Amino acid sequence: MDRELALEVIRVTEAAAISSAQWMGRGKKIEADDAATSAMRLIFDSVSCKGTVVIGEGELDEAPMLYIGEEVGNGNGPEVDIAVDPLEGTNIVANGRGNAMAVLALGDRGTLLHAPDMYMKKLVVGPEAAGLVRLDDPIEKTIDIVAKMNNKRTRDVTVIIQDRERHQDIIDRVRAKGSRVKLFGDGDVGASIATSLPQTGIDLFVGTGGAPEGVISAAAIKALGGDMQARLVPDNEEEEQRCIAMGLTDPRQLLHLHDLVKGDDAIFAATGVSSGELLEGVRFLGGDLVETDSIVMRAKTRTVRYIKAHHRLQNKPHLLADDE
């Protein structure tokens, strides 16, 4: 992969974000997701790469666009694995809430874990605690390590956890330890990445969420120097067989960051749809002027770029929502 590709893919997430943001608060999550997916696929056709979607909107017979195994890009340039979530937070957009993003990750061919759409248990920390924590350790021990490495008192450690009933025990234990809990609703890509960005004040991410989102997050965490461990949580025999078919001999093995994203290079790109931990949302400034807020990271160089852009929709009619 080259540095030009890192900047080129921002156009893809920008298009998805603008298209889906036009459905903000309208109560129509399917339409919002369709808008993001259609825009992302369209712009990908002009990106200089030979891409294969390894994490996408579903299998070939389940999704009309960006399905697992689909070839994208204009056929020129490097061969890459692509993981996409055109709209991370469909319910967020439908209900007009914060923290929705259009996200994607790229890696050299064969470097991204092929993750089925199932649950994954995850633990994420920033650079200071990288290599020192374990997914299977008690949360109390992990908090002690993170506090020491981040030069914080236990009471000042902030753990971000998705607000779900399945996490109540871990929430109670973090609070009993004396640390802070920050709950979020949907959108765990932004929440997990926040651990590696000092300005967020987030020290630790823990919980069970989507496996595809875990792989996408791993590309960003690798670029930021953070650390992540994970384990797939198959719910039945069928899900276990899907893991095996995708190359995991042991579906329940402990996955380190280098298992999720192999090699020394990966690209992560995201554009905010609604404002959240990581990015501001799409802003419609009047007339046909639209502002977007994006981030792009490359693991090989550890470069992180924040990109604010103005778009004229009259020049991009393909991004306009169909109000009919």
Side-chain angles (χ1 to χ4, degrees):
M1 296 189 294
D2 54 37
R3 60 180 177 227
E4 286 78 13
L5 184 58
L7 294 177
E8 200 172 355
V9 294
I10 277 295
R11 297 188 298 109
V12 178
T13 57
E14 286 175 341
I18 292 170
S19 294
S20 58
Q22 295 171 72
W23 294 97
M24 181 68 65
R26 297 174 185 257
K28 297 183 177 182
K29 68 177 185 178
I30 294 175
E31 288 82 355
D33 191 48
D34 285 349
T37 304
S38 297
M40 184 171 274
R41 187 177 193 275
L42 178 66
I43 303 302
F44 247 132
D45 286 343
S46 65
V47 174
S48 297
C49 70
K50 301 175 185 176
T52 301
V53 176
V54 298
I55 295 170
E57 291 287 274
E59 309 294 342
L60 175 58
D61 59 350
E62 296 174 354
M65 292 170 285
L66 293 172
Y67 57 84
I68 295 172
E70 182 176 359
E71 301 294 324
V72 297
N74 64 13
N76 300 315
E79 296 186 356
V80 294
D81 285 350
I82 298 173
V84 298
D85 194 343
L87 179 55
E88 200 219 2
T90 54
N91 288 321
I92 291 173
V93 171
N95 295 315
R97 296 180 179 139
N99 217 34
M101 299 189 300
V103 298
L104 62 82
L106 287 81
D108 291 319
R109 183 63 52 86
T111 59
L112 297 187
L113 178 76
H114 292 211
D117 190 4
M118 64 176 59
Y119 278 129
M120 173 185 276
K121 187 176 180 182
K122 311 168 196 177
L123 174 71
V124 185
V125 295
E128 291 77 12
L132 301 175
V133 297
R134 287 182 51 82
L135 179 68
D136 296 327
D137 281 346
I139 188 63
E140 295 84 357
K141 178 179 178 180
T142 302
I143 289 172
D144 284 339
I145 294 170
V146 170
K148 179 180 179 181
M149 301 312 299
N150 287 1
N151 193 27
K152 289 186 176 183
R153 298 173 298 177
T154 299
R155 62 179 296 173
D156 295 327
V157 170
T158 300
V159 185
I160 192 164
I161 306 172
Q162 192 171 25
D163 189 6
R164 295 291 188 270
E165 185 178 347
R166 63 179 177 270
H167 294 144
Q168 192 57 54
D169 178 65
I170 197 88
I171 292 169
D172 292 341
R173 290 169 61 189
V174 171
R175 287 172 173 165
K177 179 70 174 173
S179 297
R180 300 170 177 172
V181 171
K182 182 165 187 177
L183 298 176
F184 69 96
D186 295 303
D188 69 1
V189 172
S192 60
I193 294 171
T195 60
S196 296
L197 295 169
Q199 67 268 28
T200 66
I202 304 297
D203 302 290
L204 174 63
F205 172 100
V206 63
T208 301
E213 291 83 356
V215 177
I216 294 172
S217 301
I221 293 159
K222 189 161 196 169
L224 292 167
D227 198 11
M228 178 176 181
Q229 291 188 4
R231 178 177 286 112
L232 291 169
V233 187
D235 194 43
N236 50 50
E237 178 64 23
E238 180 182 354
E239 289 192 347
E240 290 201 7
Q241 290 305 314
R242 286 189 66 200
C243 294
I244 293 170
M246 287 188 171
L248 282 172
T249 305
D250 178 7
R252 300 177 188 274
Q253 74 182 73
L254 179 65
L255 299 168
H256 296 266
L257 186 59
H258 62 260
D259 297 313
L260 299 166
V261 181
K262 299 180 178 68
D264 63 353
D265 205 4
I267 292 170
F268 172 88
T271 300
V273 179
S274 59
S275 297
E277 298 288 345
L278 191 61
L279 297 165
E280 295 294 322
V282 174
R283 288 170 292 284
F284 296 89
L285 302 179
D288 69 338
L289 183 61
V290 178
E291 184 176 81
T292 57
D293 191 28
S294 305
I295 188 171
V296 60
M297 316 177 192
R298 189 179 179 197
K300 188 172 184 178
T301 60
R302 298 282 294 276
T303 303
V304 179
R305 288 183 172 91
Y306 291 90
I307 300 172
K308 195 175 292 293
H310 282 183
H311 310 262
R312 292 286 181 179
L313 289 184
Q314 67 179 9
N315 298 323
K316 302 179 180 182
H318 53 285
L319 300 185
L320 289 171
D322 182 359
D323 291 328
E324 298 299 324

